[in-house]
Amino acid sequence: MKAAVLVQPGQPLAIEELSIAKPGPHEVLIRTSACGLCHSDLHFIEGTYPHPLPAVPGHEAAGVVEAVGSEVRTMKPGDHVVSCLSAFCGHCEFCVTGRMALCLGGDTRRGPGEAPRLTRSGSGEAVNQMLNLSAFAEQMLIHEHACVRIDPDMPLDRAAVIGCAVTTGAGAVFNACKLVPGETVAVIGCGGVGLAAVNAAKIAGAGRVIACDPMPEKRKLAEVLGATDTVDALAEDAAAQVVEMTGGGVDHAIEAVGRQASADLAVKVLRRGGTATILGMMPLDCKVGLGAMDLLSGKKLQGAIMGMNRFPVDLPRLVDFYMRGLLDLDTIIAERIPLSAVNEGFEKMKKGDSARSVIVFDQ
């Protein structure tokens, strides 16, 4: 199969021919239909976050099951599925208390003595899976607890973005924030994750949804998806604008960029008793905090990995939201590209003026 391989940090991905192993007892072989380009991939590609190399990035994907292992009972060949990087074990404290996104026992690597899932054709050199998925490839071989079956009528190019951007952004609203209808929300950063958060806040009945982003194009997209107001996030008085238009600040501020300044802005726009939720992958040396007066005002700060999802339940629900016309995935997708254009897609991402690029494998 063809796959995009990260050989060295800071270098373009190389399109290579790889071989893929047969499914183990709890594994699923998937023909990849589509995969979104996520900023998290870019962190690994640029070397901001370390990972063993060579490796195949990509984690926001959907496809069709081609084969399953002997112990798989949750899906069969022909099923349509969405992958998710927050694989779970199902029996640890986090899983049984409904916090599956925090599970550390869902190690989906192959067991000792088993052949690696991915190897270079010809040489047989092992290629690492990134986040146990590696979706920038024509096929994926993953653990059954890293994917979920969905409605076959769901278009797979749109289903792909649910696997990360929408799960994270919408999950933050529905799961981490537990937004109450009428509450006010500020979303800092209107990429794929932020736009999904804006859309979810509208679905959840937020009284006001304020989208903060430096790019006018993204602020316009946020308005299409349900933002009632927009603010230039780089304006010197950005925080003051949000506080003024809400009469004291927002109930929830969701940071969806991964930058120190955007996290600080999320804290600044909170009202008394408000909560800032950090979604972005910030540089590893960054720290976000609350001042003494913030604490005395009852303000709260939290992280929410992958939107604190319970993906076997959440993803089919998000698919249903799309099928019913509630969730707008079409606006989030800016372009559909072939695998060969993956590097150009990341260059567009760096410019920051458009939403999601999605690789479609049958182009």
Side-chain angles (χ1 to χ4, degrees):
M1 66 172 184
K2 287 186 173 63
V5 181
L6 175 60
V7 181
Q8 291 292 336
Q11 297 297 318
L13 300 179
I15 306 301
E16 298 188 19
E17 291 283 342
L18 301 184
S19 298
I20 192 163
K22 294 181 180 179
H26 289 281
E27 293 178 332
V28 181
L29 179 65
I30 300 166
R31 173 66 60 179
T32 314
S33 296
C35 182
L37 271 59
C38 179
H39 210 280
S40 300
D41 293 310
L42 189 59
H43 287 311
F44 291 108
I45 292 170
E46 293 182 333
T48 307
Y49 278 69
H51 195 282
L53 300 177
V56 176
H59 59 275
E60 187 179 81
V64 180
V65 175
E66 291 196 327
V68 300
S70 59
E71 302 299 320
V72 174
R73 299 290 181 266
T74 55
M75 57 198 70
K76 63 186 185 303
D79 283 344
H80 291 202
V81 296
V82 174
S83 64
C84 190
L85 65 88
S86 55
F88 62 95
C89 70
H91 53 74
C92 70
E93 177 184 355
F94 294 121
C95 286
V96 299
T97 55
R99 297 174 290 169
M100 299 167 65
L102 296 178
C103 174
L104 294 175
D107 188 346
T108 65
R109 291 175 295 182
R110 307 203 101 190
E114 290 187 276
R117 290 191 177 115
L118 303 176
T119 55
R120 281 183 161 133
S121 298
S123 70
E125 177 190 358
V127 176
N128 294 283
Q129 273 191 315
M130 190 168 286
L131 303 174
N132 293 307
L133 294 175
S134 290
F136 290 163
E138 293 174 328
Q139 290 178 298
M140 291 186 289
L141 179 59
I142 62 178
H143 195 277
E144 62 176 322
H145 285 177
C147 58
V148 60
R149 184 174 56 194
I150 62 168
D151 185 338
D153 292 331
M154 176 69 182
L156 289 172
D157 58 339
R158 275 139 283 186
V161 299
I162 294 179
C164 180
V166 178
T167 292
T168 301
V173 172
F174 298 141
N175 299 330
C177 298
K178 295 181 171 59
L179 188 141
V180 175
E183 289 184 328
T184 51
V185 182
V187 177
I188 319 298
C190 294
V193 173
L195 291 173
V198 167
N199 199 182
K202 176 187 176 182
I203 294 171
R208 203 159 188 174
V209 184
I210 304 164
C212 304
D213 195 281
M215 304 301 295
E217 299 88 345
K218 288 189 174 179
R219 296 200 296 270
K220 289 180 181 178
L221 288 176
E223 289 176 341
V224 173
L225 288 164
T228 57
D229 307 272
T230 62
V231 170
D232 181 348
L234 294 184
E236 290 185 4
D237 64 341
Q241 289 184 54
V242 175
V243 171
E244 181 179 358
M245 69 176 60
T246 54
V250 296
D251 297 291
H252 299 281
I254 298 173
E255 193 280 341
V257 183
R259 292 181 180 174
Q260 184 76 57
S262 58
D264 292 341
L265 178 59
V267 171
K268 290 177 182 178
V269 301
L270 292 178
R271 67 179 301 171
R272 291 171 63 85
T275 301
T277 302
I278 310 300
L279 301 180
M281 290 176 65
M282 296 197 302
L284 294 172
D285 59 350
C286 280
K287 295 184 183 296
V288 185
L290 297 173
M293 288 305 299
D294 294 325
L295 296 171
L296 289 172
S297 300
K299 297 178 183 179
K300 295 175 285 294
L301 175 66
Q302 65 177 355
I305 182 172
M306 288 292 291
M308 297 305 292
N309 73 83
R310 298 94 22 111
F311 84 83
V313 174
D314 291 351
L315 265 66
R317 286 180 179 175
L318 292 169
V319 166
D320 181 60
F321 282 173
Y322 175 81
M323 301 294 282
R324 290 162 52 197
L326 298 173
L327 185 64
D328 183 357
L329 302 178
D330 301 272
T331 298
I332 292 176
I333 298 175
E335 63 173 355
R336 293 164 178 81
I337 60 175
L339 180 64
S340 59
V342 62
N343 292 308
E344 290 85 346
F346 279 114
E347 288 304 314
K348 290 181 182 178
M349 179 186 293
K350 293 176 185 178
K351 294 179 182 178
D353 57 0
S354 64
R356 225 39 163 203
S357 297
V358 176
I359 297 170
V360 177
F361 283 87
D362 59 2
Q363 289 196 156

